[in-house]
Structures are given as C-alpha cells and as structure tokens.
Amino acid sequence: MSGPTGRLLALLSLLQARRDWPGGVLAQRLEVTERTVRRDVDRLRGLGYRVTATKGPDGGYRLESGSELPPLLFDEEQAVALAVALRLATGSGDGTDDGVAQGAARALATVRQVLPSHLRHRVDAVRVTALDRGPAVDPAVIVEVSTAIRRCEVLRFDYGEESPGAPPRRTEAVHLVRRRSRWYVVGWDLDREAWRTYRLDRMRLRTPHGPRFVPRELPAPDVATFVSARFKGSADEDAWPCRGTAVLRAPASEVAPFVGDGDVEALADGTCRVTLGAWSWVALAAALARFDADVEVVAPPELAAACRVLAARFAAAGG
C-alpha cells in the first residue's frame, strides 16, 4: 500500500516495534521529511493513538498506552502467531472451556475476520481438541488476582466450602499458575505461616485487598519446580515422597513411552531398569504393574514389601 495511508500504517508499525524513535530516523525510514512525520503523528493522534514527543538532542516520538484501545497493526507473522495462540486458548475451538476460552474465541473470530485469505487458511489449519477441560474461572477474577500479585497486596478470600461467617484467609500471593487445565495461586499463608497453593475456581475474593508486602523467596529454584513438588506431596524441590527402582523383563523401547517423569535404562540382556516415584510405596508398586511385564530386582525393601501387599489384595480380588 502506497501513499499517505500506507505511510501512516508504516509509521504506526515502526512506533509499535520499539519504545523511542528519533524524528530524523523515522523520516529516513519512511523516506519523507521530518515535517511530514510530524503531520502523520498528528493524524495518528486524531485516530486515538497517544504518540508523545520525546525530548533530547534529536527529539523523537513514543507510542504510549491510552485509556481506550485503538486499532492495532500486526505484520503477517504476528497476526498468525496471535491467531494460533487464541486458537490454543479456546481448547477445542468452541470457547466452552471457561471464561478465558470464551473471550479467546470471540477475539479469534475478530482477528480471523480481517485476516487475508492466505493467512486465514494457515490459522484454520490449527485444530486443537481439549481432552481435559478445567472448571470455569471468571476472567475478572484472574485479572484481580494478577493485579494483587503485581502490586504485592495481600489477598483476602473465602475458600472452598468454608462457612460464610469464617474469617477470610490472608495470603501473600506471588504467582498465578495454570496446570492441567486448572488455575492455581501460589502464596504464603499468613495465618498458617506456610507456603500454599489454592485453586482459583474455589476462591471467593474479598475486597478491598490487604496491605502491601515484600515478597518472600520461594523455597524452590522456580515456581514450576515448587508446584511440581507440591503435587507430588514432597517438601523436596522435585522429588516424590517414595522413589524406587525395578528391573522389567521388557525392552526399554517399549517401556519408555509410558514411564512419565521416571527414568528408564536399557540393560544388556534386553531388559530395562526403571526408576519411578509416587505418593506411597503401594502406589509405586501399582505403577510398576502398568508396564505389563514381569518385575524383578525391586528396591528399596519398602517397595518390595508394597509389592507383596498389592499381590495379596489382587489375589483376594481375583478369588
């Protein structure tokens, strides 16, 4: 697109690409005079874009955030990436997963409508089927919790089936996490004096928020390691409370696809050694049975004892 309209779009694209632009550099990039750049900046302001003049030896321009959302400009790769991300957020594409998915579906329809045909075909080729839909979460709650985390404000909320008359929980929330189609809040519980994770769909926020706080150091290298350890029921950073090994009479190539977060080691005689973790020793023994192979050389002794317990239970169940 050439002419004033094309130049205006090019100017907007440049302003969106980086924070500050000297006026002279913009003029060179657009192959116009600085006076023309000033006129085009005024036109963008008239369309609702907050373009401010920056001070300095050269002077320049900066695109600021405003009180309303003006039209946005994306290049082709940005537009496709945005549409694909929205497609993934909708799960199956119908927006019935939760409040976020519904908003993503509406946004996807808006973006798709203005895409050129060749880009629309690329986006439509992405098909996602959600097999694990999570409970619905109001997007406004996600925004409210995220705001409290950013401002370091104590969250006050009722949780689960607690009595409406009970005092609210008070938590120094530091992370908002999505895991396996559920939203969680990670924070320091001020009343229990311990790190906790809370399901966002079970939280009923109270307003206003509590006082500001200085964030504590998470007892793990990162939030992913912390949450993973919590769901494994371990205080260690990334360990199951029960962990053991066993030799399976099956090739490592057949076991590896089903080992999950365990380890598999091929042995010279065509068998393999697996190392797994679980909530309990009996659960770990049951995990070994899923490979449909003979099991031997089990360690530690607690795992061997759990195998005997499990064998007795299954023998009784089988009559």
Side-chain angles (χ1 to χ4, degrees), residues 5-86:
T5 301
R7 188 180 66 245
L8 197 66
L9 292 176
L11 173 59
L12 178 58
S13 180
L14 290 172
L15 291 172
Q16 290 178 159
R18 81 183 200 194
R19 184 168 178 80
D20 292 302
W21 281 95
V25 175
L26 283 176
Q28 292 175 6
R29 294 289 294 268
L30 297 172
E31 298 181 350
V32 295
T33 65
E34 291 190 42
R35 182 178 179 182
T36 299
V37 171
R38 288 195 295 271
R39 278 202 310 265
D40 287 346
V41 165
D42 288 337
R43 292 176 63 192
L44 286 178
R45 289 168 177 162
L47 293 173
Y49 294 95
R50 289 189 58 190
V51 184
T52 59
T54 59
K55 297 179 180 180
D58 297 328
Y61 301 96
R62 173 184 301 170
L63 182 61
E64 304 281 7
S65 59
S67 58
E68 297 180 355
L69 181 65
L72 301 178
L73 180 67
F74 300 102
D75 61 31
E76 289 195 358
E77 291 305 315
Q78 289 175 324
V80 170
L82 175 62
V84 169
L86 291 171

Side-chain angles (χ1 to χ4, degrees), residues 108-175:
L108 175 61
T110 302
V111 172
R112 185 185 179 280
Q113 184 176 0
V114 298
L115 286 177
S117 177
H118 67 285
L119 296 183
R120 192 181 307 123
H121 291 321
R122 291 175 61 184
V123 172
D124 290 345
V126 179
R127 295 294 179 185
V128 181
T129 300
L131 299 180
D132 53 347
R133 295 186 180 278
V137 177
D138 187 346
V141 175
I142 297 176
V143 173
E144 186 71 17
V145 170
S146 299
T147 300
I149 291 174
R150 178 173 55 84
R151 294 177 177 174
C152 296
E153 295 175 346
V154 172
L155 277 179
R156 300 169 63 249
F157 58 94
D158 301 310
Y159 194 67
E161 302 301 325
E162 293 176 342
S163 170
R169 297 202 183 193
R170 302 177 304 127
T171 295
E172 296 177 351
V174 293
H175 287 285

Side-chain angles (χ1 to χ4, degrees), residues 73-319:
L73 180 67
F74 300 102
D75 61 31
E76 289 195 358
E77 291 305 315
Q78 289 175 324
V80 170
L82 175 62
V84 169
L86 291 171
R87 172 79 74 186
L88 295 175
T90 65
S92 63
D94 59 6
T96 58
D97 191 313
D98 55 29
V100 174
Q102 294 173 22
R106 293 195 300 271
L108 175 61
T110 302
V111 172
R112 185 185 179 280
Q113 184 176 0
V114 298
L115 286 177
S117 177
H118 67 285
L119 296 183
R120 192 181 307 123
H121 291 321
R122 291 175 61 184
V123 172
D124 290 345
V126 179
R127 295 294 179 185
V128 181
T129 300
L131 299 180
D132 53 347
R133 295 186 180 278
V137 177
D138 187 346
V141 175
I142 297 176
V143 173
E144 186 71 17
V145 170
S146 299
T147 300
I149 291 174
R150 178 173 55 84
R151 294 177 177 174
C152 296
E153 295 175 346
V154 172
L155 277 179
R156 300 169 63 249
F157 58 94
D158 301 310
Y159 194 67
E161 302 301 325
E162 293 176 342
S163 170
R169 297 202 183 193
R170 302 177 304 127
T171 295
E172 296 177 351
V174 293
H175 287 285
L176 183 62
V177 179
R178 185 171 171 89
R179 182 182 189 270
R180 296 181 181 177
S181 297
R182 285 191 171 93
W183 291 89
Y184 297 90
V185 174
V186 177
W188 176 263
D189 191 306
L190 291 170
D191 299 307
R192 293 162 178 79
E193 296 187 346
W195 286 100
R196 296 293 177 93
T197 58
Y198 306 93
R199 276 178 48 176
L200 194 58
D201 60 288
R202 302 186 66 190
M203 297 171 63
R204 300 183 302 279
L205 299 181
R206 292 202 186 185
T207 55
H209 298 310
R212 302 285 292 271
F213 64 90
V214 177
R216 303 168 191 263
E217 184 176 353
L218 199 66
D222 52 62
V223 66
T225 301
F226 173 82
V227 172
S228 177
R230 285 300 165 120
F231 279 93
K232 291 176 180 178
S234 171
D236 197 356
E237 290 178 353
D238 194 23
W240 290 102
C242 299
R243 195 165 180 84
T245 62
V247 173
L248 303 182
R249 289 205 164 274
S253 58
E254 295 181 4
V255 173
F258 310 102
V259 79
D261 64 352
D263 298 314
V264 59
E265 173 190 359
L267 301 179
D269 58 355
T271 63
C272 65
R273 179 181 292 106
V274 296
T275 302
L276 299 172
W279 288 85
S280 68
W281 292 113
V282 172
L284 182 54
L288 293 173
R290 75 175 185 261
F291 297 106
D292 192 22
D294 292 337
V295 184
E296 57 186 34
V297 193
V298 176
E302 292 85 351
L303 178 56
C307 288
R308 292 191 291 272
V309 170
L310 199 61
R313 289 178 180 174
F314 283 152

